[in-house]
Amino acid sequence: MQLNIVVAGVGGQGSVLASHIIAEAAINQGISVRVGETFGAAMRGGAVASHVRIGNVSSPLVQKHKAHIILALEPLEGLRVGLEFLAPEGVAILNTRPIPPVDVFVGKFVYPEIKKIIQALEAIGKNVHAFDATQLAIEAGNTRTLNSVILGALSAVKVWPFPSQVLEEAIIARVPAQTKEVNLRAFNLGKMKMENLDGK
Amino acid sequence: MSAITLDSIGKRILMMGNEAIARGALEGNVRLAAAYPGTPSSEILESLLEASKTFELYVEWSINEKIAFELAFGASLVGARSVVAMKNAGFNWVMDPFMTVSYTGCRAGMLIVVADDPGAHYSSNEQDTRVGAVYNKLICFEPSSQEEALEMARESFSVSESLELPILLRSVTRLSHASGDVTLGRLPPIKDERFHGFNKHWKLPYRWNVYGPPGAVQKHRWLLSRKNLIAEYTENSRFNEFEKGEFPLGIVCSGIGAAYCDEALQNLELVGKVQFLRLGIAHPLPWRKAKEFLQSSRKVLVIEEGDPVVESQLRRFAQAESQEVFIFGKENQILPPFGEINMDLVEEALIKVFPEIIPAKKVVSILENPLSKGLVVPRSSTLCAGCPHLGSYWGLKKAIQSQKELTIVNGDIGCYEQGGYGLFSQSDFSSQDEHKRYPIQSPYTILDTLYVMGSGISLAQGMSHSGYPGKCIAVCGDSTFFHAVLPALANAVMNQADITLLVLDNRWTAMTGHQPSPTTSPDYLDNSIKKLSIFDIVRALGVKKIFLVNAYHPLEVQEALEKAFDFKGPSVVIAEGECMLQVIRRTKRKWMGTKVTAACTGCRTCLQLGCPAIVFQKNKALIDPLQCIDCGLCMQVCPVNAIDGGNLCN
């Protein structure tokens, strides 16, 4: 078995934690993992992509266009990673809530339209599922549960090989006890959303 | 309980490479650990600091790598196992003791960990530290996985003790900053139960003194005499493996190269077909295994991260043994000799070198995508919202602009090095004009030179003594000041260099994750205390012109700098302002309401501050309430007083 997932986001959104939760869920199932991270020198607010590789693997990074699943906590970062790593048969889950980079704020670049981001990804992988995951995190009770929303969505993707409970348990083991409930609420909202879009 | 001290033998858990190295050192009964922070190595010491809460283990952030190295060596001499960790550039700082302690060897096991950074993700160069082991005739471990990193770190101490030599362990970014599953081993006793002592003539006369009889040449001979012992270990080590294959075609891989290679061999269905020499020890090579390997191979591909260190050893060996074999690798550019290698590059190299056994691979169509053209925009790194350096750099910019002659600003290493990243600059980049004043649009274009720790102030002295007419300026942070700038400042005073040093004292080694610096308050809740005062030190060094200013008062910084520029001789301006991330962590401070008013003319002056909390929409500036912490800097630079609100940093 081999499953490649790339989690993309902006520093501070929790994409690295999400990738470690996925990896720990797999280890708990007795399966080997590698997690590679790519980020610039930025202390905060930089682009972060975490490569999670599950199964018979040894390289920490996913090869070009070999990601079975891309989880994007931010649309521009989903685009950046998708154009490089999304496999033709791959699945992309895209939060549609943008965090424009400073390059846009200073007027040097224009943030791409969400519609165009989705089209560009659809031209590579056939399964692009875009929704406002930040809104679901707010509904769950805390914007910072965005990564749990995305993990919930992951649990409902057809190619995800484990029961959704495995991810829930890995979340509980990792998040502070007092945020357990809100994270699980977020997880379920993400899961339900994905089941409506592309259920198991 | 954190992973580093988890007492559960045989349990498999996820660990970052650096944590795995730390865990391995702990299981190997390490009792002293020292380091200077440097990405991608810092988590090794951070993990051991955590462990020191449970185990009797001395752990410190030292002022620089050389000091950390010597601490570790000192521990070894009195019988305590020790580890020193550093990044690639840090290794250059330890070269002096590193090249000399090998002449006497060590007593208790000593492990030197260096995290190289191929691809220069966080570093000013891509140097390959394994060369240091060749240079110094030592063993260099090179793990291919987090699990192997843990095992090597654990085993290194007993190997070091049997050889009486320090062991080098070379990691890379993709190992140190990647995670994998590791198997936990046995934790050491809480307290060291081993013998501690000092024997001046241990096994050899004047053992711990390179000048002591019989002298340095004989001690060099002693080091060379360890060769057979080293060879015996590398030959039999479980970290080196030779697997025979069907065809006379060979692959050698080392360290993380093996991680890429293992998978590439599967992908290309080559497992069992080729002769496969898998090295966990990059220097020296296991010669018997290498000989057998070369004898069974007509063509060989070497896969390693960094310089052709294994490759050149193999070439030398093949030549010495008159082996007829074609060796491919970085020397003949089958793999690029710069940047990082990866799975794609390794697969390409295999296809190039072994076309006879690799089935014509269906070429994956490059996913040319007209819809994505020009769509991706960069996400540049910046200084943080409310960063004190923003104020200091604003003051510096204004002071430079006030000068008739062209100044030169020499940068240094720390968050403020971003002043050399050139973000957002829109001017043309090539010019033959020696006397051109380049516009400084933001703090990100303010630095004219940028190299290594402490280099700015010495470059400035060379420029000034050569008769450069404009003011030669250097900037450095507080941690860098103690690490490397201190001797250079003494030098400037001794030789009366006409330079100005701007010290950006933010009270932390911020860029590597807020390790304490000598100006960090020992009491986290009271930041008025300092362990060491840069002002007092600069005065004691004999600098005659010193200014202490608030980084959040750019005008004050500017005026101090202008006065310093007017002074003939060494002058120092210390701009103080604690790293805003730490202030926020301590005070839980949030945005209080700094806002742009209707008076904004859209002149974009505030954007030149370089603060990521200032955004520009519909020809007006706007404050991003999620990032702004009301530092008040933008209020001070707005020419029409169109920003209202907090001004909490005054």
Side-chain angles (χ1 to χ4, degrees), chain B residues 18-47:
Chain B
N18 283 341
E19 286 176 294
I21 292 168
R23 172 76 190 206
L26 185 67
E27 290 181 8
N29 201 16
V30 71
R31 294 297 161 172
L32 181 140
Y36 179 77
T39 318
S41 73
S42 310
E43 297 82 2
I44 299 168
L45 203 84
E46 273 167 1
S47 302

Side-chain angles (χ1 to χ4, degrees), chain B residues 267-317:
Chain B
N267 287 354
L268 300 171
E269 293 159 17
L270 294 181
V271 180
K273 288 188 182 164
V274 291
Q275 317 295 321
F276 189 36
L277 183 59
R278 198 174 193 281
L279 300 174
I281 301 175
H283 179 266
L285 297 197
W287 297 122
R288 276 201 304 277
K289 283 195 179 99
K291 188 170 178 179
E292 201 189 340
F293 168 80
L294 286 172
Q295 279 170 344
S296 54
S297 310
R298 189 167 44 79
K299 273 199 295 195
V300 166
L301 173 64
V302 187
I303 298 165
E304 59 188 319
E305 188 70 277
D307 292 339
V309 172
V310 167
E311 184 184 341
S312 59
Q313 289 179 76
L314 203 67
R315 284 180 189 282
R316 185 155 48 85
F317 186 64

Side-chain angles (χ1 to χ4, degrees), chain A residues 2 10 20 23-24 27 31-47 53 56-61 63-65 74 76-77 79-80 83 86 99-106 108-110 112 116-117 119-120 123-124, chain B residues 12-14 121-122 144-146 174 177-181 256 258-260 262-263 266-267 343-344 347 367 369 371-372 375-382 384-385 415 421 424-426 510-514 581 584 604 607 612 614-617:
Chain A
Q2 200 189 93
V10 174
H20 284 198
E24 278 162 3
I27 292 178
I31 295 172
S32 199
V33 291
R34 289 285 181 280
V35 185
E37 281 141 33
T38 61
F39 42 84
M43 295 281 304
R44 292 199 314 177
R53 308 198 59 225
N56 186 17
V57 298
S58 51
S59 157
L61 298 183
Q63 280 179 274
K64 299 253 184 296
H65 295 296
E74 200 278 343
L76 172 61
E77 295 318 311
L79 175 70
R80 194 187 316 281
L83 293 181
L86 185 59
I99 301 178
V102 68
D103 311 71
V104 167
F105 287 147
V106 299
K108 261 199 103 170
F109 291 93
V110 178
K116 287 192 174 163
I117 291 178
Q119 282 171 353
I124 302 171
Chain B
R12 291 188 71 74
I13 63 165
L14 184 71
H121 302 282
Y122 324 96
S144 66
S145 66
Q146 286 71 25
R174 294 292 175 220
H177 271 197
S179 304
D181 40 330
I256 193 85
Y260 300 129
D262 284 340
E263 245 188 280
Q266 286 174 33
N267 287 354
M343 286 277 299
D344 291 301
E347 283 187 5
L367 298 149
N369 185 352
L371 287 170
S372 66
L375 215 52
V376 182
V377 304
R379 190 178 292 278
S380 298
S381 79
T382 59
C384 304
C415 291
Y421 286 6
F424 323 127
S425 76
Q426 293 174 341
M511 197 176 209
T512 47
H514 300 101
L581 294 185
I584 294 168
R604 293 176 178 253
L607 284 180
I614 304 173
V615 305
F616 203 76
Q617 276 169 9

Side-chain angles (χ1 to χ4, degrees), chain B residues 597-612:
Chain B
T597 68
C600 174
T601 61
C603 72
R604 293 176 178 253
T605 306
C606 56
L607 284 180
Q608 292 175 18
L609 191 61
C611 177

Side-chain angles (χ1 to χ4, degrees), chain B residues 437-453:
Chain B
R437 195 184 280 271
Y438 294 91
I440 302 165
Q441 287 125 334
S442 75
Y444 307 107
T445 52
I446 202 161
L447 300 180
D448 297 312
T449 74
L450 182 53
Y451 292 95
V452 298
M453 293 290 285

Side-chain angles (χ1 to χ4, degrees), chain A residues 7 19 50 81 87 96 103 105 116 118 122 124 128 138 145 173 186:
Chain A
V7 189
S19 68
S50 242
V81 161
T96 51
D103 311 71
F105 287 147
K116 287 192 174 163
I118 295 169
E122 279 175 341
I124 302 171
V128 179
I138 293 166
T145 61

Side-chain angles (χ1 to χ4, degrees), chain B residues 457-480:
Chain B
I457 179 170
S458 316
L459 290 180
Q461 292 173 55
M463 291 165 172
S464 170
H465 287 307
S466 306
Y468 183 78
K471 196 76 185 189
C472 300
I473 304 157
V475 299
C476 76
D478 45 301
S479 194
T480 306

Side-chain angles (χ1 to χ4, degrees), chain B residues 545-619:
Chain B
K545 209 77 179 162
I546 317 168
F547 300 89
L548 185 62
V549 293
N550 181 343
Y552 288 99
H553 290 169
L555 190 63
E556 207 180 288
V557 178
Q558 177 191 344
E559 285 169 0
L561 281 167
E562 285 171 4
K563 283 180 199 152
F565 293 166
D566 289 341
F567 180 76
K568 193 92 179 128
S571 56
V572 175
V573 176
I574 303 157
E576 286 189 331
E578 187 179 2
C579 174
M580 189 46 72
L581 294 185
Q582 292 296 80
V583 174
I584 294 168
R585 270 179 205 142
R586 184 169 52 238
T587 62
K588 312 277 179 223
R589 177 171 157 176
K590 285 200 168 71
W591 178 68
M592 303 279 288
T594 297
K595 275 198 178 84
V596 179
T597 68
C600 174
T601 61
C603 72
R604 293 176 178 253
T605 306
C606 56
L607 284 180
Q608 292 175 18
L609 191 61
C611 177
I614 304 173
V615 305
F616 203 76
Q617 276 169 9
K618 296 177 185 151
N619 288 320

